[in-house]
Amino acid sequence: MHGSPPDDVWDLRRVTAADVPALVRGADVLGSGGGGDARPAGLMFGHAVGDGYVRLLDPDGATHLAVSFVGMVGAASAFTEELAGGGEFARALRAIERWSRRSATALASIEAAGLNGVTALATAVWCDLPVVDVDLCGRALPRLDQFSLAVVDGALPPLALALPRGQVVLVDGGDAVRCERVVRAVLAAEGGWAALATAPVVREDWSLEGPVRATRRCLELGARLEALGTSASPDDVVAALGARLLGAGRVVEVARHAGAGFGRGSVCVRDQQTSALLRLEMENEYLVVFEDGAPVATAPDLLVVVERRTARVVACDRIRRGDDVVVLQLPAPAFWARPEHVGRVMPRSFGLDVDPVLVAQPAGAAW
């Protein structure tokens, strides 16, 4: 067992090594083409947890816990090349606890998608804490100023960065945009990635502070994909994910463009049935889908590309001409669909002059 909160906190479930395949596949779906490959983090968690488990707590029962949000920031490729030993995440947490003079009684992910869909669970093993099923993104997002706490509070809590070569950097004060710039400057000079932990935060209603139950969503979506096996049809994948089918066919063109910030690119897919041309605009994630020039789906919804034969997610940095793919749209977390929040993650926040085109959440959705 790992993590022992007070007895009056309601357990959502126990997450074990047996959950890793579903967790990884679901986290890749929530990555919307980005967030980094979740498999290395899945291996890290599986090795750390062994025969034990991590307690995943529902946010409605965790309002009195001091929650530190943890995860990897920087280039996922750098993380894969220079894998964490595990000590980085615990080092970041202990440093911010010393700085803030407050101990965390639970952890949560900064971004329950891609590799960060798993890193908080691994950190929970190393630090012997439970995980609250709330995060700051509910999907993959590229910038710290897009974290939900920055949207709600106008600033981020103090945070610590533990670098892979041993240094710890504390960032406190200033608005979220300035914080993002400082963190990016540190990462550029020191290996490309770092483990991040925020000062512990207490909230009365987590659903007002950020996306909730994204890890539960990862586990459910991943389990459904695992159950499909190989050679599932596009309709099978649509039904398993509760998605909207945008098209299916061969990738006919991939264009990538370097820029001053994150790289940009576009992908064109010729639909096999209708011959319509789908164009996906991408940065770190897929952001907009056009059909014959008209926008049909946008962020903050999850725009997901899967390989037709295996139903495995095809990330932005791995998609290639000739790939046989299915293009899907899944609803955004409820937090980002709210009118007061959507402006921070819609296409214009990425420099694309397109209005949001979103699908409705299913009735009774928990996230």
Side-chain angles (χ1 to χ4, degrees):
M1 174 176 176
H2 297 280
S4 300
D7 291 337
D8 59 339
V9 174
W10 180 61
D11 253 333
L12 176 60
R13 65 166 294 164
R14 298 175 179 183
V15 183
T16 70
D19 292 308
V20 168
L23 186 64
V24 164
R25 293 198 71 176
D28 283 341
V29 170
L30 265 62
S32 194
D37 187 346
R39 287 176 295 180
L43 293 172
M44 189 169 64
F45 170 66
H47 177 75
V49 76
D51 295 329
Y53 61 86
V54 169
R55 295 180 70 181
L56 182 67
L57 309 178
D58 189 81
D60 287 350
T63 54
H64 60 291
L65 296 180
V67 178
S68 177
F69 292 87
V70 299
M72 188 281 295
V73 289
S77 58
F79 177 85
T80 303
E81 292 168 3
E82 191 174 1
L83 284 173
E88 298 90 346
F89 296 92
R91 207 153 22 92
L93 177 63
R94 300 312 176 204
I96 201 62
E97 286 179 325
R98 290 193 302 271
W99 177 260
S100 63
R101 298 182 181 179
R102 185 169 197 175
S103 296
T105 55
L107 302 177
S109 177
I110 60 172
E111 174 186 67
L115 67 88
N116 276 326
V118 191
T119 51
L121 294 166
T123 307
V125 177
W126 297 318
C127 298
D128 195 27
L129 290 169
V131 172
V132 178
D133 200 1
V134 61
D135 71 295
L136 304 180
C137 299
R139 47 156 294 149
L141 290 170
R143 306 194 309 265
L144 273 66
D145 58 291
Q146 292 174 310
F147 282 180
S148 61
L149 288 181
V151 174
V152 172
D153 297 339
L156 291 169
L159 55 88
L161 302 173
L163 303 169
R165 297 171 189 172
Q167 307 95 327
V168 173
V169 176
L170 290 157
V171 182
D172 189 4
D175 61 28
V177 172
R178 188 174 297 276
C179 179
E180 160 74 13
R181 291 173 183 165
V182 170
V183 169
R184 293 296 165 190
V186 171
L187 297 177
E190 295 293 341
W193 77 272
L196 180 149
T198 70
V201 176
V202 178
R203 291 291 190 269
E204 293 183 1
D205 185 347
W206 283 112
S207 68
L208 299 178
E209 310 298 330
V212 294
R213 303 181 185 91
T215 301
R216 172 178 167 182
R217 191 182 187 189
C218 281
L219 289 163
E220 292 177 354
L221 294 178
R224 292 174 198 163
L225 287 175
E226 286 287 289
L228 289 178
T230 58
S231 302
S233 70
D235 288 341
D236 291 335
V237 177
V238 167
L241 297 180
R244 174 191 174 203
L245 177 63
L246 299 175
R250 293 280 180 184
V251 175
V252 296
E253 182 180 10
V254 178
R256 304 184 194 276
H257 316 286
F262 299 117
R264 289 287 183 89
S266 60
V267 176
C268 291
V269 177
R270 179 69 69 181
D271 187 82
Q272 188 173 24
Q273 288 192 339
T274 67
S275 295
L277 186 67
L278 299 179
R279 189 177 90 247
L280 290 77
E281 292 298 318
M282 60 185 180
E283 195 176 80
N284 290 20
E285 298 81 31
Y286 299 113
L287 301 173
V288 180
V289 179
F290 295 89
E291 180 179 337
D292 291 336
V296 292
T298 72
D301 274 0
L302 307 176
L303 308 180
V304 182
V305 178
V306 299
E307 204 274 330
R308 183 196 289 262
R309 185 177 60 85
T310 64
R312 296 277 176 182
V313 169
V314 184
C316 294
D317 60 352
R318 293 183 179 273
I319 196 163
R320 298 290 185 270
R321 184 178 178 181
D323 288 348
D324 191 10
V325 300
V326 180
V327 184
L328 306 167
Q329 180 183 16
L330 281 73
F335 180 88
W336 292 122
R338 295 172 190 159
E340 66 270 28
H341 299 152
V342 69
R344 298 293 285 270
V345 288
M346 69 181 188
R348 286 190 180 88
S349 68
F350 298 94
L352 298 170
D353 190 17
V354 178
D355 291 328
V357 182
L358 310 178
V359 292
Q361 273 204 336
W367 31 263

